Amino acid sequence: MPRRQAAKVKALQQSLGLIRTAINAKRWAQARYMLSRAQALVNALPADPTVKEREQLSQLRK
């Protein structure tokens, strides 16, 4: 996991893109793994700068 906050946000955005790709390709195991990784990144970041990413993550979970 990256140490700086900006790097964590960038990693979170990349993982959201990978989740979308995995879901569209029906690679469920990869999607579940990336969801757990994205959740770990969200938990490591403060809530204020990641509101948009948190909403995207909840939409992808559904």
Side-chain angles (χ1 to χ4, degrees):
M1 184 177 298
R3 291 186 182 198
R4 292 188 174 178
Q5 183 173 345
K8 288 178 187 175
V9 171
K10 185 175 179 181
L12 178 59
Q13 291 170 348
Q14 288 175 345
S15 64
L16 289 173
L18 289 173
I19 292 167
R20 281 190 203 91
T21 303
I23 289 173
N24 291 337
K26 297 183 181 177
R27 294 186 296 236
W28 307 120
Q30 182 183 6
R32 279 193 307 271
Y33 170 75
M34 292 307 298
L35 280 168
S36 66
R37 182 175 169 181
Q39 186 63 42
L41 285 166
V42 164
N43 291 337
L45 288 165
D48 293 340
T50 59
V51 172
K52 186 174 71 171
E53 287 84 2
R54 288 174 190 264
E55 290 173 359
Q56 290 176 8
L57 186 59
S58 68
Q59 289 294 324
L60 289 171
R61 269 197 210 111
K62 294 178 183 179

